[in-house]
């Protein structure tokens, strides 16, 4: 396993361990407990693996857990389906190429701008590569951002316009988007472009800083949002030219 992936796997295991209490998994309470959450030996025992092996996993050392070990750890840590899938991916993930500047294919750009409903294309780091007029009308101020700031997370977490667009749903949406980005970041870290974006968001948003430390992960895909008091359904598609690029289209209900 690559060292960078090992660190991401270890960080994720530790975050899931520290959120659990002995009572939540049926263990008797123990006096003078200093550890946050479960102890490492408790997780190892629940998963049926050696404590030394588990410690090496949390430390991000060069070990390769089997699928059966990953499944046992997921059960021991009470992971949900999304977290379990993320753990599997981290355990087998090869080193990804360094991030480079992306561009939306010309055909995709023409498609986006031909639509009469909000649509945009994002890259691996959630940079907004192109957006049509309906999208910039819906997401106020998006078209006025400098090119380096045209990023879903920068817009959502660092611009006051986004809070107006999402209204009372802003916190829930921003937290969910942070969890989606966390899943992508873990697979790409320690890429300098991803690290720089996360550092910027931590400096500029106390909410992001708190949610980031929780290490929650979420999947990207279809769903619903309330924007400017109106309900929208949205769907996300991979482009044929580059599967890392995603086309998102909003449809008002």
């Amino acid at each position: 396993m690559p060292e960078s992936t090992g660190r991401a796997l270890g960080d994720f295991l530790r975050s899931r361990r520290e959120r659990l209490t002995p009572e939540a998994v049926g263990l008797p309470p123990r006096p003078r407990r200093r550890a946050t959450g479960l102890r490492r030996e408790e997780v190892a025992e629940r998963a049926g693996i050696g404590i030394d092996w588990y410690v090496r996993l949390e430390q991000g050392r060069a070990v390769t857990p089997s699928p059966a070990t990953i499944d046992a750890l997921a059960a021991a840590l009470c992971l949900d389906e999304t977290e379990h899938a993320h753990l599997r991916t981290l355990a087998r993930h090869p080193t990804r190429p360094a991030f480079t500047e992306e561009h939306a294919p010309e055909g995709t750009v023409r498609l986006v701008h031909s639509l009469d409903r909000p649509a945009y294309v994002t890259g691996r780091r959630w940079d907004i590569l192109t957006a049509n007029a309906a999208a910039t009308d819906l997401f106020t101020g998006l078209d006025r951002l400098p090119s380096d700031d045209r990023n879903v997370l920068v817009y959502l977490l660092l611009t006051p316009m986004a809070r107006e667009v999402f209204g009372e749903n802003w916190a829930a949406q921003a937290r969910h988007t942070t969890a989606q980005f966390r899943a992508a970041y873990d697979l790409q870290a320690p890429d300098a472009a991803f690290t720089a974006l996360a550092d910027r968001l931590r400096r500029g948003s106390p909410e992001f800083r708190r949610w980031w430390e929780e290490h929650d992960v979420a999947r990207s895909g279809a769903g619903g949002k309330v924007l400017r008091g109106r309900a929208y359904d949205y769907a996300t598609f991979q482009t044929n030219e580059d599967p890392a690029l995603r086309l998102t289209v909003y449809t008002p209900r």
Side-chain angles (χ1 to χ4, degrees):
M1 178 188 297
E3 182 181 357
S4 59
T5 305
R7 286 198 299 270
L9 175 65
D11 288 345
F12 185 63
L13 286 172
R14 183 168 56 255
S15 72
R16 302 304 86 181
R17 173 176 62 81
E18 291 178 347
R19 72 174 181 174
L20 285 176
T21 63
E23 294 79 8
V25 296
L27 294 176
R30 297 182 181 179
R32 301 177 184 175
R33 189 180 188 91
R34 296 181 180 178
T36 301
L38 295 183
R39 294 181 175 132
R40 292 183 178 88
E41 57 266 30
E42 291 169 336
V43 174
E45 182 178 355
R46 282 172 53 80
I49 62 177
I51 177 60
D52 290 341
W53 176 259
Y54 179 76
V55 168
R56 292 173 69 189
L57 282 173
E58 268 205 15
Q59 291 175 343
R61 294 162 67 182
V63 294
T64 304
S66 68
T69 297
I70 289 299
D71 292 345
L73 285 169
L77 293 166
C78 302
L79 302 189
D80 63 25
E81 182 180 348
T82 299
E83 293 168 330
H84 191 168
H86 187 62
L87 188 63
R88 284 198 199 103
T89 303
L90 288 175
R92 67 172 185 265
H93 182 69
T95 302
R96 290 193 173 187
F99 178 83
T100 57
E101 185 179 2
E102 298 162 312
H103 301 279
E106 290 184 10
T108 303
V109 172
R110 288 195 296 270
L111 170 65
V112 167
H113 288 273
S114 72
L115 298 175
D116 61 359
R117 58 196 60 191
Y120 54 80
V121 174
T122 53
R124 277 192 292 160
R125 202 180 63 153
W126 294 47
D127 296 317
I128 301 170
L129 306 181
T130 188
N132 65 12
T136 55
D137 285 344
L138 180 60
F139 297 99
T140 306
L142 182 62
D143 56 338
R144 298 195 298 271
L145 291 176
S147 58
D148 289 345
D149 289 351
R150 292 184 185 178
N151 175 280
V152 170
L153 290 118
V154 170
Y155 178 80
L156 183 57
L157 288 151
L158 301 184
T159 68
M161 295 90 75
R163 294 179 184 254
E164 297 176 9
V165 172
F166 287 91
E168 63 182 15
N169 299 306
W170 177 85
Q173 182 59 51
R175 184 170 189 164
H176 183 69
T177 302
T178 298
Q180 290 176 314
F181 178 62
R182 183 85 213 204
Y185 176 95
D186 282 356
L187 300 183
Q188 196 68 41
D191 190 285
F194 279 75
T195 302
L197 176 57
D199 288 345
R200 179 183 177 186
L201 294 168
R202 275 196 294 260
R203 291 193 304 270
S205 170
E207 295 93 345
F208 177 86
R209 187 163 56 249
R210 183 172 67 254
W211 298 328
W212 192 250
E213 293 306 316
E214 293 173 358
H215 213 132
D216 289 338
V217 294
R219 292 177 177 175
S220 301
K225 295 178 184 178
V226 177
L227 305 168
R228 302 186 175 283
R230 185 176 184 181
Y232 287 81
D233 292 314
Y234 67 92
T236 302
F237 311 91
Q238 292 177 315
T239 65
N240 287 333
E241 295 89 344
D242 184 350
L245 306 188
R246 300 184 300 275
L247 166 65
T248 302
V249 181
Y250 287 79
T251 302
R253 290 179 189 167

PDB file of all heavy atoms in Angstrom, residues 146-162:
ATOM      1  N   PRO A 146     -13.499  35.343  -9.099  1.00  0.00           N
ATOM      2  CA  PRO A 146     -12.274  35.145  -9.896  1.00  0.00           C
ATOM      3  C   PRO A 146     -12.157  33.687 -10.317  1.00  0.00           C
ATOM      4  O   PRO A 146     -12.676  32.790  -9.639  1.00  0.00           O
ATOM      5  CB  PRO A 146     -11.157  35.547  -8.927  1.00  0.00           C
ATOM      6  CG  PRO A 146     -11.817  36.383  -7.877  1.00  0.00           C
ATOM      7  CD  PRO A 146     -13.224  35.877  -7.760  1.00  0.00           C
ATOM      8  N   SER A 147     -11.484  33.431 -11.409  1.00  0.00           N
ATOM      9  CA  SER A 147     -11.399  32.068 -11.940  1.00  0.00           C
ATOM     10  C   SER A 147     -10.841  31.086 -10.914  1.00  0.00           C
ATOM     11  O   SER A 147     -11.290  29.933 -10.841  1.00  0.00           O
ATOM     12  CB  SER A 147     -10.546  32.048 -13.212  1.00  0.00           C
ATOM     13  OG  SER A 147      -9.246  32.552 -12.947  1.00  0.00           O
ATOM     14  N   ASP A 148      -9.898  31.521 -10.084  1.00  0.00           N
ATOM     15  CA  ASP A 148      -9.306  30.630  -9.079  1.00  0.00           C
ATOM     16  C   ASP A 148     -10.279  30.292  -7.952  1.00  0.00           C
ATOM     17  O   ASP A 148     -10.033  29.351  -7.190  1.00  0.00           O
ATOM     18  CB  ASP A 148      -8.048  31.258  -8.482  1.00  0.00           C
ATOM     19  CG  ASP A 148      -6.893  31.296  -9.466  1.00  0.00           C
ATOM     20  OD1 ASP A 148      -6.980  30.587 -10.491  1.00  0.00           O
ATOM     21  OD2 ASP A 148      -5.930  32.046  -9.232  1.00  0.00           O
ATOM     22  N   ASP A 149     -11.351  31.070  -7.818  1.00  0.00           N
ATOM     23  CA  ASP A 149     -12.315  30.846  -6.748  1.00  0.00           C
ATOM     24  C   ASP A 149     -13.554  30.091  -7.216  1.00  0.00           C
ATOM     25  O   ASP A 149     -14.466  29.852  -6.420  1.00  0.00           O
ATOM     26  CB  ASP A 149     -12.761  32.182  -6.150  1.00  0.00           C
ATOM     27  CG  ASP A 149     -11.673  32.846  -5.325  1.00  0.00           C
ATOM     28  OD1 ASP A 149     -10.650  32.184  -5.079  1.00  0.00           O
ATOM     29  OD2 ASP A 149     -11.842  34.015  -4.952  1.00  0.00           O
ATOM     30  N   ARG A 150     -13.594  29.731  -8.484  1.00  0.00           N
ATOM     31  CA  ARG A 150     -14.774  29.030  -8.999  1.00  0.00           C
ATOM     32  C   ARG A 150     -14.681  27.554  -8.648  1.00  0.00           C
ATOM     33  O   ARG A 150     -14.274  26.712  -9.448  1.00  0.00           O
ATOM     34  CB  ARG A 150     -14.913  29.262 -10.506  1.00  0.00           C
ATOM     35  CG  ARG A 150     -15.262  30.714 -10.799  1.00  0.00           C
ATOM     36  CD  ARG A 150     -15.511  30.981 -12.251  1.00  0.00           C
ATOM     37  NE  ARG A 150     -15.733  32.409 -12.471  1.00  0.00           N
ATOM     38  CZ  ARG A 150     -15.941  32.961 -13.642  1.00  0.00           C
ATOM     39  NH1 ARG A 150     -15.975  32.207 -14.733  1.00  0.00           N
ATOM     40  NH2 ARG A 150     -16.124  34.270 -13.754  1.00  0.00           N
ATOM     41  N   ASN A 151     -15.061  27.297  -7.443  1.00  0.00           N
ATOM     42  CA  ASN A 151     -14.966  25.973  -6.838  1.00  0.00           C
ATOM     43  C   ASN A 151     -16.203  25.802  -5.958  1.00  0.00           C
ATOM     44  O   ASN A 151     -16.607  26.742  -5.266  1.00  0.00           O
ATOM     45  CB  ASN A 151     -13.675  25.862  -6.018  1.00  0.00           C
ATOM     46  CG  ASN A 151     -13.567  24.558  -5.261  1.00  0.00           C
ATOM     47  OD1 ASN A 151     -14.169  24.401  -4.210  1.00  0.00           O
ATOM     48  ND2 ASN A 151     -12.795  23.627  -5.791  1.00  0.00           N
ATOM     49  N   VAL A 152     -16.805  24.627  -5.989  1.00  0.00           N
ATOM     50  CA  VAL A 152     -18.041  24.400  -5.243  1.00  0.00           C
ATOM     51  C   VAL A 152     -17.851  24.700  -3.760  1.00  0.00           C
ATOM     52  O   VAL A 152     -18.688  25.355  -3.121  1.00  0.00           O
ATOM     53  CB  VAL A 152     -18.527  22.954  -5.446  1.00  0.00           C
ATOM     54  CG1 VAL A 152     -19.663  22.629  -4.481  1.00  0.00           C
ATOM     55  CG2 VAL A 152     -18.973  22.742  -6.881  1.00  0.00           C
ATOM     56  N   LEU A 153     -16.758  24.242  -3.177  1.00  0.00           N
ATOM     57  CA  LEU A 153     -16.556  24.423  -1.739  1.00  0.00           C
ATOM     58  C   LEU A 153     -16.233  25.874  -1.390  1.00  0.00           C
ATOM     59  O   LEU A 153     -16.689  26.378  -0.358  1.00  0.00           O
ATOM     60  CB  LEU A 153     -15.453  23.491  -1.242  1.00  0.00           C
ATOM     61  CG  LEU A 153     -15.888  22.022  -1.258  1.00  0.00           C
ATOM     62  CD1 LEU A 153     -15.013  21.229  -2.184  1.00  0.00           C
ATOM     63  CD2 LEU A 153     -15.907  21.426   0.123  1.00  0.00           C
ATOM     64  N   VAL A 154     -15.435  26.525  -2.213  1.00  0.00           N
ATOM     65  CA  VAL A 154     -15.139  27.943  -1.973  1.00  0.00           C
ATOM     66  C   VAL A 154     -16.419  28.752  -2.022  1.00  0.00           C
ATOM     67  O   VAL A 154     -16.688  29.601  -1.150  1.00  0.00           O
ATOM     68  CB  VAL A 154     -14.115  28.456  -3.001  1.00  0.00           C
ATOM     69  CG1 VAL A 154     -13.983  29.982  -2.906  1.00  0.00           C
ATOM     70  CG2 VAL A 154     -12.760  27.801  -2.775  1.00  0.00           C
ATOM     71  N   TYR A 155     -17.256  28.499  -3.041  1.00  0.00           N
ATOM     72  CA  TYR A 155     -18.515  29.230  -3.153  1.00  0.00           C
ATOM     73  C   TYR A 155     -19.413  28.956  -1.947  1.00  0.00           C
ATOM     74  O   TYR A 155     -19.940  29.880  -1.325  1.00  0.00           O
ATOM     75  CB  TYR A 155     -19.242  28.837  -4.437  1.00  0.00           C
ATOM     76  CG  TYR A 155     -20.581  29.514  -4.595  1.00  0.00           C
ATOM     77  CD1 TYR A 155     -20.670  30.828  -5.049  1.00  0.00           C
ATOM     78  CD2 TYR A 155     -21.764  28.851  -4.287  1.00  0.00           C
ATOM     79  CE1 TYR A 155     -21.900  31.466  -5.183  1.00  0.00           C
ATOM     80  CE2 TYR A 155     -22.996  29.465  -4.414  1.00  0.00           C
ATOM     81  CZ  TYR A 155     -23.060  30.776  -4.867  1.00  0.00           C
ATOM     82  OH  TYR A 155     -24.281  31.404  -4.993  1.00  0.00           O
ATOM     83  N   LEU A 156     -19.582  27.689  -1.605  1.00  0.00           N
ATOM     84  CA  LEU A 156     -20.528  27.309  -0.558  1.00  0.00           C
ATOM     85  C   LEU A 156     -20.095  27.765   0.825  1.00  0.00           C
ATOM     86  O   LEU A 156     -20.917  28.225   1.629  1.00  0.00           O
ATOM     87  CB  LEU A 156     -20.711  25.790  -0.579  1.00  0.00           C
ATOM     88  CG  LEU A 156     -21.713  25.172   0.396  1.00  0.00           C
ATOM     89  CD1 LEU A 156     -23.096  25.769   0.206  1.00  0.00           C
ATOM     90  CD2 LEU A 156     -21.754  23.661   0.212  1.00  0.00           C
ATOM     91  N   LEU A 157     -18.789  27.669   1.117  1.00  0.00           N
ATOM     92  CA  LEU A 157     -18.312  27.888   2.480  1.00  0.00           C
ATOM     93  C   LEU A 157     -17.714  29.272   2.717  1.00  0.00           C
ATOM     94  O   LEU A 157     -17.658  29.726   3.865  1.00  0.00           O
ATOM     95  CB  LEU A 157     -17.269  26.829   2.835  1.00  0.00           C
ATOM     96  CG  LEU A 157     -17.852  25.429   3.061  1.00  0.00           C
ATOM     97  CD1 LEU A 157     -16.839  24.357   2.707  1.00  0.00           C
ATOM     98  CD2 LEU A 157     -18.317  25.273   4.499  1.00  0.00           C
ATOM     99  N   LEU A 158     -17.273  29.940   1.660  1.00  0.00           N
ATOM    100  CA  LEU A 158     -16.542  31.189   1.871  1.00  0.00           C
ATOM    101  C   LEU A 158     -17.226  32.422   1.283  1.00  0.00           C
ATOM    102  O   LEU A 158     -16.689  33.526   1.427  1.00  0.00           O
ATOM    103  CB  LEU A 158     -15.120  31.070   1.283  1.00  0.00           C
ATOM    104  CG  LEU A 158     -14.239  29.955   1.838  1.00  0.00           C
ATOM    105  CD1 LEU A 158     -12.843  30.031   1.221  1.00  0.00           C
ATOM    106  CD2 LEU A 158     -14.152  30.015   3.358  1.00  0.00           C
ATOM    107  N   THR A 159     -18.370  32.270   0.634  1.00  0.00           N
ATOM    108  CA  THR A 159     -19.041  33.442   0.078  1.00  0.00           C
ATOM    109  C   THR A 159     -20.394  33.645   0.759  1.00  0.00           C
ATOM    110  O   THR A 159     -21.152  32.681   0.934  1.00  0.00           O
ATOM    111  CB  THR A 159     -19.256  33.313  -1.442  1.00  0.00           C
ATOM    112  OG1 THR A 159     -20.209  32.278  -1.699  1.00  0.00           O
ATOM    113  CG2 THR A 159     -17.950  32.995  -2.156  1.00  0.00           C
ATOM    114  N   PRO A 160     -20.718  34.880   1.120  1.00  0.00           N
ATOM    115  CA  PRO A 160     -22.016  35.137   1.768  1.00  0.00           C
ATOM    116  C   PRO A 160     -23.186  34.875   0.831  1.00  0.00           C
ATOM    117  O   PRO A 160     -24.297  34.583   1.292  1.00  0.00           O
ATOM    118  CB  PRO A 160     -21.924  36.610   2.168  1.00  0.00           C
ATOM    119  CG  PRO A 160     -20.853  37.198   1.314  1.00  0.00           C
ATOM    120  CD  PRO A 160     -19.886  36.096   1.053  1.00  0.00           C
ATOM    121  N   MET A 161     -22.976  34.948  -0.481  1.00  0.00           N
ATOM    122  CA  MET A 161     -24.080  34.718  -1.417  1.00  0.00           C
ATOM    123  C   MET A 161     -24.652  33.323  -1.272  1.00  0.00           C
ATOM    124  O   MET A 161     -25.859  33.110  -1.411  1.00  0.00           O
ATOM    125  CB  MET A 161     -23.603  34.920  -2.858  1.00  0.00           C
ATOM    126  CG  MET A 161     -23.185  36.336  -3.185  1.00  0.00           C
ATOM    127  SD  MET A 161     -21.420  36.601  -2.847  1.00  0.00           S
ATOM    128  CE  MET A 161     -20.666  35.756  -4.225  1.00  0.00           C
ATOM    129  N   ALA A 162     -23.793  32.347  -0.984  1.00  0.00           N
ATOM    130  CA  ALA A 162     -24.263  30.970  -0.883  1.00  0.00           C
ATOM    131  C   ALA A 162     -25.249  30.804   0.269  1.00  0.00           C
ATOM    132  O   ALA A 162     -26.222  30.043   0.168  1.00  0.00           O
ATOM    133  CB  ALA A 162     -23.079  30.025  -0.702  1.00  0.00           C
TER     134      ALA A 162
END
